[in-house]
Amino acid sequence: MSEPTAFDPTHILGLDGYLKPFLPAIERRYARFQRWKDTIFQHEGGYEKFTKGYEVMGLTVKDDGTVVYREWAPNATEANLIGEFNEWNRSTYPLSKNKYGVWEVEVPPKANGQPAIPHDSKVKISMILPSGTRIERLPAWIRRVTQDLTHSPVYESRFWNPPASERYQFKNPRPPQPQSLRIYEAHVGISTPELRVGTYKEFTQNMLPRIHKLGYNTIQLMAIMEHPYYASFGYQVTSFFAASSRYGTPEELRELIDTAHGMGLIVLLDVVHSHASKNVLDGLNAFDGTDHLYFHEGSKGRHELWDSRLFNYGSHEVLRFLLSNLRFYMEEYRFDGFRFDGVTSMMYLHHGIGTGFSGNYEEYYGSGADEEAIVYLMLANDVVHTLYPSAITIAEDVSGMPLLCVPVKQGGMGFDYRLAMAIPDMWIKLLKHKSDEDWNMGNLVHTLTNRRHGEKSVAYAESHDQALVGDKTVAFWLMDKEMYTNMSDLTPMTPVIARGLALHKMIRLLVHSLGGEGYLNFEGNEFGHPEWLDFPREGNNNSFHHARRQFNLVDDELLRYKYLNTFDAAMNLLEERYGWLSSPQAYVSLKHEGDKVIVYERAGVLFVFNFHPTKSFTDYRVGVDIPGEYSILVSSDEKRFGGFENVSLESKYNTTAMEWNGRKNWLQVYIPSRTCLVLGKT
């Protein structure tokens, strides 16, 4: 029995007094969450048992080699397990159905005690519907599916049960939760310069050392849950318990995560519980012939824009499936947490389609909110954090839902972080539509610091979203076609490249140090990746040209990409030393529109940015709270970062005890145009 806790609004009203009129809605959500939790603890043995559905459902193996298969398909009137093991015979292994609509069959072992279903052999469930129609499906809880595009795009399900000698044995403990999240968002398939799909093995060998050297402490892996259409970027999932086979085997993914742990890196899964592929033959759609098994029926169960199916979060068995799915990845692969995709779509009945969120609280607590989905997210976070206290969950939400990152027991939704999605949008708009002279320093600072009190956010200048075809990376917006001709150190530094390198570094450091309590970079953008992402599809003649990351560019000592890469590492290593991400929000002492200068302090470090395209300032007076002697920790103008070395790193700066810009002291610095300085106490 779970311990019911009475709802106490004290904490959330302390965070935001404007929530007071909406307390009834917040309390109602909490009561619904508590009812579900009570049901799970009274009837299902609590979170521990309920979330291990994968040990009961699907194909499991007993100690004596008996294979047990269970599947929830209440509409079927007859069901048979078929596969290569019984030559696809539809009558040799009939299943029996219980009162909950769960079918079951046991397949006895061979005489030698080995399972009668061979490892990695193909299996399916064959069912007869009330109409007499026969349908065949891939088991919903299957852990391995494979695709042979020369034969068909439809996946085939396989019984993954390797002998003990072939199972990957974890060697490393999970690293502790980092104080500051520095996230490297990555996609295994594109992590090669070659014109093909990259593998788990290659990622382990080539990418992990690179990520570690750059100073990131967290990897966020995309497109792991199996998806038949590569170009969907992993967001149209068919088999939720199957790690994508296009990159390799489950054992190789285990090795990747274990190796990352050995380097002190934690690994988050980009989990897609917001919707599912509408595929019938190899997905969950119409699994038992009905429209409403895992999903809402009719239009409520369909996402118009994504052309996909929407889960029924009010169904007991759907909760078992989804919560067990989270537990499965934590246990079986040892992921350290999740980035939940499409949270905005989940939390609103309109899914955010055609809706501009103004910040009016009625939008969050009115009739447009989907309380079933919100309660599912509360349950998911409560489960993950109860069973794995060091786990991390991140929400992808564009709406600004209050209490998203407040613990469930305090009336929140329980995420640890939200993605600061307004920040990359701001940069793209500036780079697209405004010249440097028109950048507004006040707006920059406002967008970077405008976050909900008491809720942590992950800031980023660009994620995978900004790299997709139809858009450009920040580097490409800055330098465009000159990246093809003027990125060699053997050619003169052109004004376009000089501006691009300078602003790329400044944008990143500003976001890193001012924008949140975590930082995210999408792979390749740390060195200014020149091109967009476009997966093989009919529209591009199935080309891999843009479905790869050109690490050959940064590894070429003659090219200027190395400078941006070096700066990225310097930022991360400096954050590791001073911990500004885990410190309180920065104090911004100056936003000067005419000079285009921004000055702020965070974690005892002084940041000075001069965004002016032409003006450099000598003896520029900046306020600082802590007195003493300061020196330069990092200057974006250093030679190792592709700069002009206009600032001497040997300089010492002593404070004068006189108030300036709201700070107790001031010091004077030389700040060249398009340069940022980081100063610390000597």
Side-chain angles (χ1 to χ4, degrees):
M1 176 79 182
S2 75
E3 290 293 319
T5 46
F7 176 69
D8 179 2
T10 312
H11 179 75
I12 57 177
L13 288 180
L15 288 175
D16 185 354
Y18 290 109
L19 287 169
K20 192 167 186 181
F22 305 96
L23 284 178
I26 296 167
E27 191 163 2
R28 186 174 66 244
R29 292 174 184 182
Y30 184 79
R32 285 181 80 158
F33 155 76
Q34 194 64 55
R35 280 198 298 276
W36 266 121
K37 187 171 181 178
D38 290 345
T39 298
I40 291 168
F41 275 77
Q42 284 171 27
H43 305 294
E44 293 281 1
Y47 287 160
E48 173 60 36
K49 200 169 171 192
F50 187 61
T51 60
K52 281 201 168 177
Y54 55 89
E55 291 186 349
V56 178
M57 301 296 289
L59 291 150
T60 57
V61 186
K62 289 184 175 181
D63 290 341
D64 67 355
T66 300
V67 177
V68 184
Y69 175 50
R70 295 187 184 92
E71 197 73 74
W72 179 51
N75 185 52
T77 57
E78 191 180 306
N80 284 270
L81 178 62
I82 60 173
E84 291 175 321
F85 76 102
N86 69 350
E87 298 179 324
W88 305 100
N89 188 309
R90 291 170 173 167
S91 58
T92 54
Y93 285 103
L95 285 76
S96 55
K97 181 163 73 166
N98 70 13
K99 62 181 179 180
Y100 301 109
V102 175
W103 294 87
E104 179 177 342
V105 66
E106 291 196 355
V107 181
K110 295 177 183 175
N112 63 2
Q114 290 298 308
I117 306 177
H119 163 57
D120 212 23
S121 64
K122 295 173 189 172
V123 289
K124 267 189 176 182
I125 181 171
S126 181
M127 295 175 279
I128 293 178
L129 305 182
S131 63
T133 306
R134 181 180 289 278
I135 60 172
E136 285 171 359
R137 300 284 186 262
L138 308 195
W141 299 68
I142 199 75
R143 302 182 186 195
R144 171 97 169 145
V145 294
T146 57
Q147 186 184 47
D148 180 358
L149 287 171
T150 59
H151 170 63
S152 163
V154 176
Y155 272 94
E156 297 176 304
S157 44
R158 294 175 178 271
F159 176 52
W160 190 256
N161 183 40
S165 60
E166 292 176 27
R167 289 180 192 274
Y168 184 80
Q169 300 298 320
F170 289 98
K171 304 173 186 70
N172 300 301
R174 295 179 193 274
Q177 187 185 98
Q179 285 279 92
S180 304
L181 274 197
R182 299 186 300 272
I183 305 170
Y184 194 89
E185 183 187 31
H187 181 293
V188 172
I190 66 167
S191 299
T192 170
E194 295 177 32
L195 298 168
R196 58 175 175 79
V197 178
T199 67
Y200 295 128
K201 279 270 188 201
E202 289 170 327
F203 194 94
T204 303
Q205 290 160 9
N206 304 331
M207 289 302 300
L208 292 183
R210 193 182 287 273
I211 295 166
H212 184 249
K213 190 178 176 186
L214 280 165
Y216 291 93
N217 56 23
T218 306
I219 300 171
Q220 185 174 293
L221 280 185
M222 307 178 64
I224 294 297
M225 300 164 82
E226 194 58 274
H227 50 291
Y229 187 43
Y230 191 41
S232 79
F233 224 137
Y235 292 123
Q236 295 269 350
V237 176
T238 42
S239 293
F240 283 75
F241 289 84
S244 182
S245 59
R246 52 170 61 83
Y247 320 124
T249 68
E251 309 314 309
E252 288 164 350
L253 175 57
R254 289 185 173 98
E255 181 185 27
L256 186 164
I257 294 168
D258 190 41
T259 308
H261 286 169
M263 295 177 170
L265 299 164
I266 66 166
V267 189
L268 307 179
L269 174 70
D270 193 349
V271 72
V272 187
H273 281 181
S274 46
H275 64 133
S277 166
K278 69 173 186 180
N279 285 16
V280 171
L281 294 178
D282 55 6
L284 294 177
N285 193 14
F287 187 85
D288 68 349
T290 64
D291 192 39
H292 58 266
L293 185 64
Y294 286 94
F295 312 111
H296 287 292
E297 61 184 323
S299 60
K300 190 179 179 185
R302 287 172 169 77
H303 197 293
E304 292 170 32
L305 283 186
W306 296 345
D307 195 26
S308 54
R309 296 304 313 269
L310 297 168
F311 286 106
N312 176 4
Y313 302 107
S315 159
H316 192 97
E317 289 306 317
V318 172
L319 289 184
R320 186 195 310 279
F321 182 82
L322 294 175
L323 294 174
S324 295
N325 193 228
L326 298 175
R327 184 82 187 274
F328 174 79
Y329 283 105
M330 294 293 289
E331 286 285 332
E332 295 294 311
Y333 288 104
R334 304 237 181 132
F335 278 96
D336 300 288
F338 303 96
R339 177 262 199 192
F340 279 74
D341 172 67
V343 166
T344 306
S345 173
M346 295 171 76
M347 295 190 299
Y348 304 96
L349 295 167
H350 51 67
H351 310 301
I353 299 172
T355 306
F357 291 95
S358 67
N360 184 327
Y361 282 17
E362 292 288 349
E363 295 166 347
Y364 308 125
Y365 298 107
S367 58
D370 187 340
E371 288 198 351
E372 276 184 353
I374 288 167
V375 168
Y376 165 68
L377 291 170
M378 292 170 75
L379 279 167
N381 278 305
D382 198 49
V383 161
V384 170
H385 290 112
T386 298
L387 297 173
Y388 308 95
S390 67
I392 291 168
T393 59
I394 303 172
E396 187 210 26
D397 169 44
V398 75
S399 76
M401 170 70 80
L403 309 182
L404 191 67
C405 301
V406 168
V408 174
K409 63 185 178 190
Q410 293 172 349
M413 288 172 63
F415 286 98
D416 295 299
Y417 296 85
R418 72 193 325 142
L419 289 174
M421 299 181 75
I423 295 174
D425 291 348
M426 173 193 72
W427 290 119
I428 296 301
K429 282 175 190 162
L430 282 178
L431 295 169
K432 252 184 179 178
H433 303 299
K434 287 192 184 282
S435 66
D436 302 9
E437 294 85 351
D438 297 328
W439 288 16
N440 183 294
M441 300 297 104
N443 287 349
L444 272 184
V445 170
H446 175 74
T447 303
L448 285 160
T449 55
N450 181 28
R451 47 193 188 268
R452 293 192 60 81
H453 175 62
E455 299 189 45
K456 293 190 285 192
S457 65
V458 173
Y460 56 105
E462 51 187 333
S463 69
H464 70 271
D465 284 328
Q466 285 70 42
L468 292 174
V469 64
D471 211 330
K472 298 179 189 176
T473 62
V474 165
F476 216 40
W477 279 116
L478 287 166
M479 296 176 276
D480 210 26
K481 62 181 184 293
E482 283 208 22
M483 296 192 84
Y484 297 118
T485 54
N486 297 324
M487 282 297 274
S488 169
D489 265 336
L490 301 177
T491 62
M493 179 81 81
T494 65
V496 168
I497 297 298
R499 170 183 177 265
L501 295 180
L503 288 178
H504 194 275
K505 291 177 284 188
M506 294 179 75
I507 286 168
R508 283 177 144 59
L509 182 60
L510 190 73
V511 171
H512 202 307
S513 55
L514 189 62
E517 290 71 38
Y519 175 76
L520 177 142
N521 165 66
F522 178 63
E523 70 170 310
N525 292 346
E526 68 274 10
F527 63 81
H529 204 280
E531 292 176 344
W532 55 90
L533 270 171
D534 188 14
F535 285 80
R537 55 189 173 87
E538 208 174 301
N540 65 14
N541 296 319
N542 291 310
S543 167
F544 277 91
H545 184 76
H546 291 293
R548 63 197 176 109
R549 298 275 89 178
Q550 299 177 60
F551 291 105
N552 52 299
L553 296 176
V554 72
D555 294 340
D556 188 333
E557 279 298 315
L558 292 176
L559 298 181
R560 293 178 169 129
Y561 296 98
K562 66 185 179 199
Y563 299 131
L564 299 179
N565 197 67
T566 304
F567 184 77
D568 204 74
M571 274 194 317
N572 285 327
L573 295 171
L574 202 58
E575 197 289 324
E576 173 73 18
R577 186 171 151 198
Y578 287 94
W580 59 70
L581 288 170
S582 54
S583 297
Q585 221 168 302
Y587 183 92
V588 182
S589 60
L590 184 65
K591 298 168 282 189
H592 198 294
E593 297 304 337
D595 294 346
K596 301 294 177 201
V597 172
I598 297 171
V599 181
Y600 54 91
E601 294 147 87
R602 192 174 184 189
V605 180
L606 177 65
F607 296 86
V608 183
F609 287 77
N610 177 11
F611 277 99
H612 204 288
T614 56
K615 282 187 187 172
S616 300
F617 302 102
T618 51
D619 298 331
Y620 199 91
R621 188 176 288 192
V622 298
V624 62
D625 220 40
I626 303 165
E629 184 180 70
Y630 284 73
S631 59
I632 292 178
L633 304 174
V634 159
S635 159
S636 63
D637 196 42
E638 290 176 51
K639 189 165 187 158
R640 62 182 174 138
F641 306 140
F644 298 101
E645 283 194 299
N646 286 318
V647 179
S648 168
L649 299 182
E650 305 305 314
S651 300
K652 302 294 179 192
Y653 306 86
N654 288 292
T655 57
T656 299
M658 182 177 132
E659 190 174 327
W660 190 259
N661 291 339
R663 309 313 271 158
K664 293 173 187 167
N665 307 278
W666 56 259
L667 52 79
Q668 288 179 314
V669 290
Y670 169 51
I671 34 170
S673 67
R674 293 197 182 119
T675 298
C676 51
L677 307 176
V678 185
L679 289 88
K681 285 283 295 292
T682 304

